Amino acid sequence: MMEKTDKIYVAGHRGLVGSAIVRNLQAKGYTNLVGRTHGELDLTNQAAVRHFFEEERPDIVVLAAAKVGGIHANNTKPAEFAYENMQVQCNVIKCCHDYKVKKLLFLGSTCIYPRLAPQPIPEEALLTGPLEETNEAYAIAKIAGMEMCRFFKQQYGDDFISCMPTNLYGPYDNYDLNDSHVMPAMIRKFHEAKMAGRPSVELWGTGSPLREFLYVDDMADACVFLLEHYSGERHVNIGTGKEVTIKELAETVRRIVGFEGEIVWNKDMPDGTPRKLTKVDKLHGLGWRHKVELEEGVKLAYDWFRENIETARMDGR
């Protein structure tokens, strides 16, 4: 059982995912939280990670730190995505075992399912077919981390669990167009086009792929729910169970941002996986459902972007 006084280390506490989990934990009365910036602790450095665990001795660990990015970043830097993510995972998971952490939550991503997985995607689809080539390196690294948690649970009885969030968006997202995901990229492009009075915005692909989007604070609530209530061996999908086309998403973002120009689809650029919807029956069966629908979530995300545009993650900063 988690106690309100447990020392909880959230790896990646300043990112989109980690910051939302910190907000949720604090709102629920967990006050003994530990975080380190990348400058303070390089999670790829085995000795540094071991020293941190030796000093802090956390009771609970949430591994939300990862090298992430969109199609372009995954396509052009596969070696970095594979190496850095596997290094971080190996260091943190092994230290969680060695220093007898009470519970570990490892965060995967739905992009690690097979490219042509059955839709909606059940948890059992993992490792049943070829991966989407545009994010293969990241997917392989994440699969290795999830399976490592399962192996430690099998061999040692460690309470290491994994979850699989769908596409996330919200406060502290990455708006750097070189490696951002689709939602923040759209928000920034439409906003800048509106402010500059441009007649059109170019978006990649055909607009036909189907995607599911989960507001990050809902994801965080599900993660804390699983920490408090779940100890199963298999990972759990976290999502809404609802999907939209990228074209429908673009129209929603354009309307909320207030851009009145046209959308030009660059069909020479890749679409990525044709459809990606999670089956969330397992999570619903445990007693959790999302609260924020897409329209409300995009408004919240755009409001945050406008209010934090000077400090948001853009263009390498």
Side-chain angles (χ1 to χ4, degrees):
M1 282 289 294
M2 280 178 69
E3 308 288 342
K4 291 292 193 282
T5 54
D6 280 342
K7 181 180 279 192
I8 305 173
Y9 168 48
V10 180
H13 73 291
R14 283 190 169 180
L16 170 70
V17 172
S19 63
I21 291 172
V22 167
R23 287 195 297 276
N24 193 275
L25 286 165
Q26 289 173 332
K28 289 188 169 129
Y30 294 96
T31 55
N32 193 4
L33 305 183
V34 182
R36 292 288 187 277
T37 64
H38 178 71
E40 293 167 334
L41 175 60
D42 178 2
L43 292 174
T44 66
N45 183 323
Q46 187 181 57
V49 174
R50 189 156 286 275
H51 178 71
F52 166 78
F53 272 81
E54 180 72 39
E55 277 203 329
E56 291 292 343
R57 302 283 176 149
D59 300 299
I60 311 289
V61 173
V62 178
L63 184 42
K67 183 176 179 65
V68 297
I71 290 174
H72 175 73
N74 275 275
N75 256 339
T76 55
K77 299 176 181 176
E80 284 89 340
F81 274 84
Y83 174 78
E84 290 185 31
N85 283 305
M86 284 197 274
Q87 194 82 347
V88 168
Q89 293 160 191
C90 286
N91 292 340
V92 174
I93 293 170
K94 184 63 161 63
C95 279
C96 285
H97 170 74
D98 289 348
Y99 290 94
K100 296 179 170 50
V101 163
K102 194 158 72 172
K103 191 153 197 168
L104 163 68
L105 173 64
F106 178 86
L107 281 92
S109 162
T110 51
C111 73
I112 76 178
Y113 282 123
R115 173 179 164 80
L116 299 176
Q119 302 287 333
I121 309 171
E123 285 88 353
E124 295 76 22
L126 187 68
L127 295 171
T128 59
L131 299 165
E132 163 62 32
E133 289 183 4
T134 54
N135 56 35
E136 187 178 22
Y138 176 77
I140 287 172
K142 281 291 181 182
I143 290 169
M146 287 177 56
E147 292 295 88
M148 198 185 311
C149 288
R150 188 168 66 85
F151 297 147
F152 272 94
K153 178 181 278 290
Q154 279 183 355
Q155 188 171 338
Y156 299 107
D158 292 331
D159 194 358
F160 293 177
I161 62 171
S162 299
C163 64
M164 194 87 90
T166 189
N167 298 299
L168 304 171
Y169 67 99
Y172 300 96
D173 211 337
N174 176 15
Y175 292 89
D176 186 333
L177 296 180
N178 288 316
D179 60 4
S180 63
H181 288 107
V182 62
M183 176 88 78
M186 283 184 183
I187 288 173
R188 178 177 173 182
K189 283 183 176 182
F190 284 126
H191 175 79
E192 290 181 347
K194 180 180 81 167
M195 300 307 289
R198 295 187 197 119
S200 65
V201 163
E202 180 185 286
L203 299 177
W204 282 15
T206 64
S208 64
L210 287 158
R211 289 290 183 275
E212 173 186 22
F213 295 93
L214 179 68
Y215 190 62
V216 73
D217 286 278
D218 268 349
M219 178 279 316
D221 194 63
C223 285
V224 176
F225 176 86
L226 290 173
L227 278 169
E228 293 175 332
H229 300 288
Y230 184 71
S231 290
E233 187 174 298
R234 290 292 176 180
H235 64 276
V236 180
N237 287 341
I238 299 179
T240 64
K242 301 178 179 181
E243 61 189 341
V244 294
T245 65
I246 294 297
K247 186 175 183 181
E248 289 168 334
L249 174 68
E251 295 292 352
T252 299
V253 175
R254 174 169 70 168
R255 183 176 69 254
I256 287 167
V257 170
F259 174 67
E260 296 180 354
E262 69 169 321
I263 298 171
V264 177
W265 293 95
N266 183 347
K267 296 177 182 177
D268 292 329
M269 302 307 286
D271 269 333
T273 304
R275 187 184 183 206
K276 197 170 67 171
L277 176 67
T278 55
K279 187 173 183 181
V280 288
D281 296 17
K282 187 172 181 178
L283 187 58
H284 288 174
L286 291 167
W288 188 92
R289 289 175 181 267
H290 77 284
K291 300 178 184 71
V292 180
E293 299 297 349
L294 186 66
E295 185 95 6
E296 179 190 355
V298 173
K299 285 177 184 172
L300 290 168
Y302 182 49
D303 286 346
W304 185 91
F305 175 73
R306 283 187 303 173
E307 290 165 10
N308 297 274
I309 199 163
E310 295 301 321
T311 56
R313 290 168 63 195
M314 294 200 290
D315 303 330
R317 73 173 186 225

